[in-house]
Amino acid sequence: MIEKIKEISDAVSEKISQITSLNELGDLRVRYLGKNGEITALLKGLKNISAEERPSVGKHINELRQKVDELLNSYEERFITFQKEKKMKEEEIDVTLSLPDKNACGSLHPLTLAKNELINAFTGMGFSVLEGVEVEEDYYNFQLLNIPADHPARDMQDTFYITNKILLRTQTSAVQARTMLSQKPPIRVICPGKVYRADDDATHSPMFHQMEGLVVDKNVNICDLKGCLDEFARSFFGADTRTRLRPSYFPFTEPSMEMDVSCFMCHGKGCRLCKGTGWIEVLGAGIVNPVVLDNCGIDSKEYSGFAFGIGIERCAMLKYGIPDIRILFENDLRFLRQYK
Ligand code: PHE
């Protein structure tokens, strides 16, 4: 028995010096001190030993048990402290280190820059800024705007439908409808925001930004529209910018038109940017169709209005010479840093 005790004592000392994890330490504890452990078995074996020897052997076994227990405890403690220190070392942060580049702070995205400039141009003329919702009802995006379910104009805007009645708005004109329903004239608002169409190439993105403008008051006419858009073009594209209106079609304006600005790169001579024409198309506009006014509870005999829709990406691309709309959404830092 005494021999066995010595054997176990040596074995424990050897094994414990080799452990590499707390789990292994736990295994050792089970192996020697557990319910079926080796030292526990020795104690159980005491009953087979003669009565004279039992007290002294029992004392040895108890000493062994105590020794092993203390050894395991002290290793456990050392192990935990060691691991803690290791972790702290690994996670050490030198708060006195200086930044690689103290000026490395972010800057506004070119689209935000363009949007802010557009907003400035119109708030300077007394417009206020409104935002609508991106998940919109067919009713506001199409029906109130004189585009019923079977209207061919729906083809012009490849729509992401969520249900039959709910869609991702295809145009900020939806905010026009909501505004006319909730405000009384005089109305003078711009509504910048995201719009969605199933379209994807160098000049179209499935998500892009528009800015709608709406004016409703007594005696609003095409001259007011032209004056307002001229003012915007000069403010955004440069003081010597000329504009021209071309007839177009939108169901919610009558008459409808598109506005071109004189090419600010070649000043009208013809270049790559304006495809040799000297003009660049920038927006759609028109006199609000009386049907739309009446749809939205505004008496078309008393009031008239004009509306326009500007593509913000298009403005940013023109102004900053960006050849592909997708660059705007890739967020390549080499591109973005140019607009600091
Ligand atoms: N909503 C039109 C479009 O997305 C633009 C527009 C707005 C035209 C307001 C006229 C008046 O194409």
Side-chain angles (χ1 to χ4, degrees):
M1 199 56 134
I2 298 296
E3 252 164 50
K4 182 89 190 146
I5 292 173
K6 170 117 184 33
E7 221 173 80
I8 291 181
S9 169
D10 290 348
V12 172
S13 309
E14 195 195 318
K15 290 221 168 70
I16 208 162
S17 67
Q18 292 165 1
I19 59 137
T20 56
S21 73
L22 274 177
N23 280 349
E24 285 175 32
L25 207 63
D27 291 344
L28 272 190
R29 190 181 290 280
V30 172
R31 170 159 178 191
Y32 291 100
L33 302 178
K35 237 184 7 196
N36 301 311
E38 291 183 26
I39 297 175
T40 320
L42 288 182
L43 282 169
K44 284 183 191 156
L46 270 180
K47 59 179 184 297
N48 306 323
I49 289 178
S50 66
E52 305 91 78
E53 275 181 296
R54 203 175 290 148
S56 113
V57 174
K59 190 167 156 248
H60 276 102
I61 300 177
N62 272 331
E63 276 169 7
L64 171 67
R65 193 168 63 163
Q66 204 175 337
K67 187 182 125 191
V68 170
D69 190 39
E70 275 165 13
L71 207 57
L72 287 169
N73 287 345
S74 82
Y75 261 81
E76 191 173 69
E77 223 167 86
R78 273 157 61 182
F79 219 86
I80 290 171
T81 320
F82 171 74
Q83 278 188 333
K84 242 193 229 156
E85 274 167 10
K86 188 164 156 236
K87 191 156 180 250
M88 293 221 302
K89 267 235 158 61
E90 281 167 4
E91 291 175 1
E92 198 172 62
I93 295 171
D94 183 352
V95 290
T96 65
L97 269 183
S98 57
L99 281 172
D101 175 3
K102 288 206 181 95
N103 299 320
C105 60
S107 56
L108 292 179
H109 191 280
L111 271 181
T112 308
L113 292 174
K115 184 179 85 174
N116 289 349
E117 266 199 56
L118 288 171
I119 291 176
N120 279 344
F122 286 101
T123 49
M125 289 185 259
F127 283 76
S128 41
V129 183
L130 263 188
E131 278 180 17
V133 292
E134 287 170 33
V135 179
E136 184 54 282
E137 290 174 44
D138 189 287
Y139 183 61
Y140 298 100
N141 193 85
F142 288 131
Q143 290 171 41
L144 283 176
L145 296 172
N146 197 29
I147 315 177
D150 54 358
H151 198 290
R154 289 207 179 203
D155 284 352
M156 289 173 6
Q157 302 187 1
D158 237 331
T159 310
F160 291 109
Y161 281 94
I162 293 170
T163 67
N164 272 346
K165 290 190 175 151
I166 298 180
L167 44 79
L168 295 182
R169 71 175 175 198
T170 60
Q171 48 184 356
T172 41
S173 303
V175 193
Q176 265 196 48
R178 286 182 176 273
T179 307
M180 286 190 268
L181 283 170
S182 63
Q183 291 186 22
K184 286 200 163 42
I187 294 171
R188 206 181 297 152
V189 293
I190 45 169
C191 323
K194 294 191 175 76
V195 296
Y196 301 83
R197 293 180 199 178
D199 224 348
D200 200 4
D201 60 35
T203 52
H204 297 89
S205 158
M207 183 281 298
F208 61 104
H209 298 75
Q210 281 189 334
M211 196 176 80
E212 192 79 6
L214 174 70
V215 171
V216 182
D217 204 346
K218 287 183 176 150
N219 303 318
V220 173
N221 59 38
I222 257 187
C223 297
D224 301 318
L225 170 60
K226 181 160 167 34
C228 173
L229 294 180
D230 279 354
E231 179 62 30
F232 145 71
R234 283 193 288 269
S235 146
F236 189 82
F237 291 109
D240 58 349
T241 308
R242 285 167 295 123
T243 62
R244 72 174 184 190
L245 296 173
R246 277 179 298 103
S248 184
Y249 174 75
F250 301 102
F252 36 90
T253 47
E254 183 57 40
S256 302
M257 57 211 79
E258 266 157 348
M259 186 177 86
D260 298 338
V261 292
S262 53
C263 179
F264 41 87
M265 204 141 100
C266 64
H267 299 281
K269 285 193 217 75
C271 68
R272 200 169 44 89
L273 184 67
C274 58
K275 300 196 183 93
T277 63
W279 295 97
I280 297 171
E281 180 198 322
V282 290
L283 55 85
I287 295 297
V288 180
N289 193 325
V291 175
V292 175
L293 290 176
D294 290 330
N295 279 353
C296 297
I298 292 176
D299 185 354
S300 62
K301 289 193 194 71
E302 196 178 345
Y303 292 101
S304 57
F306 67 76
F308 53 87
I310 306 177
I312 299 183
E313 277 77 3
R314 185 157 176 78
C315 287
M317 288 166 76
L318 288 171
K319 185 149 187 167
Y320 304 129
I322 300 167
D324 188 319
I325 195 169
R326 290 166 289 203
I327 302 174
L328 286 168
F329 304 115
E330 279 166 6
N331 287 335
D332 185 328
L333 286 178
R334 289 168 303 180
F335 165 70
L336 295 177
R337 284 199 179 113
Q338 299 174 56
Y339 299 96
K340 247 190 171 168

